[in-house]
Amino acid sequence: MNKRVGIIIFLLIFGGRFYAQTTPDYTKTSDLLLEKMDESPEGYLRFSIRLADRADIRSLDANFRKKNTPLGQRARTVISTLKTYAVATQGDLRDFLEQSPDVLPGSIKSYWITNILYVTAKPSLIVELSHRMDVDWLEFDYPIALVEPDSRVTLSGSGVTESVGGVEPGLQAINAPAMWALGYTGYGRKTLTVDTGADPTHPAIAGRYWGNFVPKNLAWFDPNTGSEDPFDCDSHGSHVTGTMLGLDPATHDTIGVAPEAVWMASAAICDNGSEDNLSVMQWAIDPDGDSTTTWDMPDAMNCSWWAPDIHPECNSDYVEVLNALEAAGIAVVFAAGNFGPAPSSVTIPQDISTDLVNTFSVGAVNGNVPTTPIVGFSARGPSNCGTAGSLLIKPEVAAPGLDVRSSILGGGYGLFSGTSMASPHAAGAILLLKQAFPYLSGTDLKLALYFSAIDMGEPGEDNSYGMGLIDVYAAYNYLITLGNTPVSPNASFDVAAQMLVNLDTFFCGATTVSPLVLVKNEGDSVVNTMKIVLSYFAGQQDTILWSGVIPPGTLQLIALPSQLLPGGDYNFSLELILPNGNEDVRFLDNRLLRNVTVTADPAIAPVSTSVCKNANAYIIVASQNPWQTFWYNEISGGAPFFEGNSYLTPTLDTSRVYYVGNGLQGSLGLPDSLGENGFYDTNNVGYMTFDCSEDIILKSVKVYSNNVGVRLFQVTDAGGNLIEGKIVQMLDGEHNIELGFEIPAGNGYKLHYLGLWGMYRQSAGATYPYNLDGLVTITGSEGGDSAYAYFYDWQIQVNGSCPRTPITVSTIQGTMNAAFAATPGLVQLPNQTGDVQFTDLSANALTWKWNFGDGGTSTLQNPQHTYSLVGEYPVSLTASGADGCTDTFIDTVIVKGWNTSIEDFEAGNEGLTIYPNPSGGILNLKFDFDKPEEVEIYTTDMMGKIVQYTGKKVVYTDNILMDVSGISAGVYLLHVKKRSTTLSRKLLKVD
């Protein structure tokens, strides 16, 4: 059934309320929109409303040509005229839409590149709109399609993917090397890839991204996701961009027509619709949103897309959109399509013909052979939109499009075939011509290619080749014959920032940088002055006026001011401007950018020491809290063999190097299975979820098993991919499982296990999140908000960002043997003063270095030191003899507390007596049970953190001595549990 008939029948059946008018005005409503209304009579549709009153850009453009209006003035006039028309004419319609109950709130969007609005509304509104006098056309938001290549081949293998110093045959076929020989490489000219985006990391095009030189929003536009950085959703856009300007600077592999041009891009064909594409066109004509500026516009646009659902195609929105782009001076180039050799197979809107080169569609020839024949898939004319003569003939010209080698995603290359490969040859040729004739419009340059093309096929213009194969050098000469004078590609004043020295991308700890910049004079004149604009911090710039002498062709290092950089991320930029007060027209090499990271990690200073052969070295390094020091045998990789700020080496008979690095470590999660809501789970479904803001090492976890067996412990990422795993043979009971899992920064990790035997978990009692210094966060567990699965007392290590520091220990021949005695070796506070006398017992020592373990030091032979705090203190003596040989001896001084008292806190004392009270730091726990029982004893602070764990013991009628003298002064809880039930909790006070 005809869709228009179907709509009428639907209206007759449902009648009444549905529409104020019974039928739409079919002269204003597209078939596709009517079809969508039929499919979804009560749903919302996204469609465009083109207003009847629109600016006459064709007449405006004709007036420009008649008066020879300069390009900048043309673009400003076009943009301001279009914006003014939209503001003046869209108000009434917009008010009507905003008041309509059938419009989805917030869905109205206005455009000015042609006078049009897009809206999401119910079909009930469409008929009413079609009868408004100010509405010209209603169209569904139809999809935009890629002009798919006829074939794609990804290259691989040595010597295949690149051509060192080579030039592609397609570039030779259009005579691009002749332009290069004149010095025209497209320097600084801009092209816009309206395609699937472009890969900003590919070596052939990375350095030519316009976003390297200007704010990103002036170089990249993603109408769908709003991404700030370029991407390619297909490889097609990267291939097209490479053909326009690709050059790998490392190999001088030339795949692009204009290798010193720059690119802008848009992801216009990544599952987008007509509105998205229209927004790209509007952005292209005014990227910075300022009608008074024109420097931001592209010189050329390459379009490898089509709109299969446009009808009627010859009166589509693109007619006026393309007119506006052309009138503003931009050269728009289209791939003709790959549906040949059928006649009239040029796609839409490529078959629009408002003048000789609008639209400028390009067919494909085989540029790999001298005869350059047309390729079978290349679309043919005549145009469905032409009137007579040349306006009926399509395509306009032809260019190489078979097996074209260019850049693809991932840094590689591919052979693609299609008119999508031909059109960027033409767009690249326009960039070369634009460098030579920057004052000419895109239309002028396309006409030059059109009239200078090499006739192919049938004599004269035909519907296979158009005017023939483009020849950019012939177009250059054609423009000269018309009286145009080319601009010299050389510059009198051209300074280039070649390299930054003394400014790394990473610094360990706050640092003062004093960079230098290597500058080359690439102009024809001596440079005596210039300005250097520097920035480390966003919004802060310093301008340096430099003076000196840099002759043409020479290099000079220039020192930049020193800058203190605390920890943080910095975007350093440097720009050279105004050499000898003149504009540098070759500006692309004037800037250097570098991202600098200064880590907050403290640096460890290198240490060098020497000891006697077969003696010990005692090495102390400075590390700032909360950082710990890890000791390694390797400069990178491997596990630490020791943790701590001081290390006593084994006896050494030869020199060696140790490596130390900073890191953090700590506990996370519940310390153990203290809850009373637990059970042994044999279903293997429990897991813990966690996030990491930094790379971490999950060193170990505590688990409880109820049977002997093998368990698999593993960590998976948010996508379910295995990160680390370990198989462990376990007995029943409590176990600290050493894992050593290296887990990169990320979110949504799961820690879980597989096995046939039970593991203890809790169904309640957990309080999330559990956080360790913002580095690791346990976010939850399977089983509910307060459930806790299997894994207790996570031990976490986070390595610092700084490289490991080498610690060198040299051995020399000698006989020194250090030794001392401490009197007393055990100090009981407060009844003793804390004074300890140290007596040197070394033989033949001449110098002494004492470290008392609490920060105190001495160089006396027999010093006395006073300790005031409870603890265990490693005391070291490093003694040196007459031969310069040193040895280190270490012993421990123990300082115990005295005033320790016990008070009842919670639960009874059945079968348990604790005495004496107060005590001197040694508690006697007396048990008196009817049968042997397993008890667990530990001490926590008032926040629940375990400070001393005595362990599990089986008792009957036993005494257990518990030494609490090493606990710092404070208030604690002493826990005694029997079969996971609290037997007693005591308040423990240590003075």
Side-chain angles (χ1 to χ4, degrees), residues 38 107 166 207 213 242 331 356 362 391 393 443 619 651 667 753 764 867 965 988:
D38 191 18
S107 69
F213 308 97
L356 289 179
V362 184
L391 296 187
I393 296 176
T443 298
I619 307 170
T651 57
S667 300
Y753 96 99
Y867 293 91
S965 63
L988 175 64

Side-chain angles (χ1 to χ4, degrees), residues 20-78:
Q21 302 279 347
T22 57
T23 58
D25 184 343
Y26 295 125
T27 65
K28 296 183 180 181
T29 313
S30 76
D31 285 342
L32 180 60
L33 184 57
L34 291 170
E35 179 181 329
K36 297 299 181 181
M37 293 168 63
D38 191 18
E39 293 174 356
S40 182
E42 290 292 339
Y44 283 103
L45 300 174
R46 186 74 176 166
F47 59 93
S48 63
I49 311 166
R50 189 172 71 200
L51 277 75
D53 190 3
R54 302 188 300 280
D56 186 358
I57 297 299
R58 289 287 294 170
S59 296
L60 190 64
D61 192 23
N63 192 47
F64 290 156
R65 292 186 168 280
K66 181 179 179 180
K67 296 182 177 181
N68 199 25
T69 304
L71 280 184
Q73 184 178 337
R74 292 190 195 187
R76 289 189 291 271
T77 302
V78 169

